[in-house]
Amino acid sequence: MGVTPPGLRPAWAEVDLGAIRHNASEVGRVTAAQRVCAVVKADGYGHGAVPVAKAAIEGGATWLAVALVEEAAALRGAGIDGPMLVLSEPPPDAMGVAAGLDLRVTVYTARGIEAAAAAGDLLVHLKVDTGMHRVGAQPAEVSALAERIARAPGLQLEAVWTHLAVADEPDRPQETARQLERFDEAVAALRKAGLDWSFEHVSNSAGALMVGATYGMVRAGIALYGYHPNPDAPSSADLRPAMSLKAHVSHVKRLDAGEAMSYGLRYRLASPATIATVPLGYADGVPRRLGAVGGEFLVAGEPRPIAGTVTMDQTLVDCGDLDVSAGDEVVLIGRQGAAQVTADDWARRLDTISYEILCGIGPRVPRVHAG
């Protein structure tokens, strides 16, 4: 019958905290970075921010990063101390909360600096837009913004940083080199102006593992969860996927050749087969198109094809002539025997990235943390 599910519904995600600890340590080993920052935004990429943060710290991470002040508040509420960076400039109304939580906040506008100064004592990280053009100060604005920070009595400039746009694409080294050049030029201009701070950081997982641009800190996102930022590129990092997605078969039927199934009746049997119903669907993060592009689940240690359209709450699996019963374990992502399905496998079929697959596992799937 397999593992007893943690809720009434026989479906769950297992998160191996030993893998998180290992991955944090591995990023530190491979990069020899002074500081490893574990990126735990989006509920730890769907793995559970609080247990992941604690495991990452146990694995050697000395910083944490989030996208929202609310995410940081949840971590502080769980008793997690230490340096914690908010990666985008918080709205003005959130700056006071950030100060009360002893957060490091990213700034890149005069409005944001003014709000941070009004909030009280804050350590700030000035972000430079070196080419991604999402958020950050333009290089020509950086010196004036840094001087504004220096004049604000409650603010201290702790770091200057940027974000690399194509570090995960090894065939585009010139664009990454140009971003690093712009960043170094901005840093040099700040030093020439007599400004001071503690360190710089530029590297996400790709920048750290593929470019080797460690500077004073690396920000480990996808690598922390066991996936390489480019699964087709060689890497010296031994990363271990931390999440498995599992369920118990909820219903079984035997169908004759010629029968079709699920919405649209697009999957038709060429021969008699056992069809298993798995109680997870696109509302849980199993993409609706996964069956149409050849997705497979593991049943009895074998990869078996999804049978037709993934529905909101359930997915059908063509088990062929396997002996399958209700209650048997199905692995959607993870290992079963010698077979394995990864988030990278789903991503390749769906023309996306492992990040989206992991973050898409929905909140109604209970997480079981072990290790």
Side-chain angles (χ1 to χ4, degrees), residues 7-363:
L8 299 176
R9 185 189 193 196
W12 68 100
E14 294 178 9
V15 179
D16 180 357
L17 296 177
I20 298 291
R21 285 190 290 272
H22 167 84
N23 295 334
S25 176
E26 187 69 0
V27 170
R29 181 191 71 81
V30 170
T31 64
Q34 289 177 275
R35 304 167 183 84
V36 173
C37 177
V39 181
V40 294
K41 63 181 180 176
D43 195 29
Y45 287 37
H47 292 64
V50 169
V52 164
K54 292 178 178 179
I57 292 168
E58 291 168 357
T62 54
W63 281 65
L64 299 172
V66 295
L68 309 173
V69 171
E70 292 90 336
E71 293 175 328
L75 295 170
R76 290 290 195 234
I80 298 174
D81 298 320
M84 196 176 298
L85 173 64
V86 182
L87 291 166
S88 291
E89 186 176 274
D93 289 347
M95 288 292 188
V97 177
L101 293 170
D102 190 26
L103 305 181
R104 273 70 166 183
V105 297
T106 293
V107 294
Y108 38 77
T109 68
R111 176 174 178 259
I113 293 168
E114 180 181 346
D121 295 337
L122 274 170
L123 295 172
V124 299
H125 289 215
L126 179 58
K127 184 171 185 181
V128 186
D129 177 9
T130 56
M132 186 162 170
H133 302 319
R134 183 174 57 178
V135 293
Q138 294 301 298
E141 304 169 337
V142 169
S143 291
L145 291 173
E147 289 171 358
R148 184 183 287 263
I149 293 167
R151 291 193 301 268
L155 300 185
Q156 180 180 337
L157 179 60
E158 182 176 41
V160 182
W161 71 288
T162 194
H163 191 66
L164 301 176
V166 294
D168 59 340
E169 299 185 40
D171 58 342
R172 301 173 70 179
Q174 296 88 350
E175 288 159 289
T176 296
R178 180 57 181 144
Q179 280 197 262
L180 294 175
E181 181 182 3
R182 288 172 178 160
F183 183 73
D184 290 341
E185 289 171 351
V187 166
L190 292 177
R191 295 202 189 284
K192 186 176 180 180
L195 296 161
D196 193 29
W197 58 93
S198 298
F199 64 97
E200 300 92 42
H201 52 104
V202 306
S203 282
N204 51 9
S205 295
L209 300 180
M210 301 180 67
V211 179
T214 55
Y215 287 70
M217 182 169 77
V218 297
R219 306 183 302 271
I222 195 66
L224 182 67
Y225 305 100
Y227 286 88
H228 196 277
N230 183 332
D232 299 319
S235 173
S236 60
D238 171 31
L239 301 177
R240 303 176 186 173
M243 181 187 286
S244 299
L245 181 61
K246 301 181 179 182
H248 290 161
V249 172
S250 60
H251 187 58
V252 177
K253 80 281 296 177
R254 185 75 179 174
L255 296 179
D256 294 332
E259 289 291 337
M261 61 209 68
S262 196
Y263 287 122
L265 299 178
R266 294 183 179 88
Y267 189 92
R268 193 172 299 275
L269 295 176
S271 57
T274 297
I275 303 299
T277 301
V278 177
L280 285 167
Y282 63 75
D284 306 296
V286 184
R288 187 174 182 273
R289 292 182 54 247
L290 189 58
V293 295
E296 297 174 321
F297 297 166
L298 302 180
V299 182
E302 292 186 16
R304 297 302 309 173
I306 294 172
T309 303
V310 175
T311 69
M312 185 179 292
D313 313 300
Q314 300 175 99
T315 304
L316 302 178
V317 184
D318 183 347
C319 298
D321 291 323
L322 290 176
D323 182 11
V324 179
S325 301
D328 288 352
E329 186 176 273
V330 176
V331 174
L332 290 75
I333 295 175
R335 288 189 178 275
Q336 192 180 61
Q340 183 179 25
V341 174
T342 69
D344 281 333
D345 293 328
W346 284 23
R348 285 190 184 96
R349 293 190 182 279
L350 294 160
D351 192 26
T352 186
I353 55 177
S354 58
Y355 309 63
E356 183 179 14
I357 301 301
L358 296 171
C359 292
I361 305 302

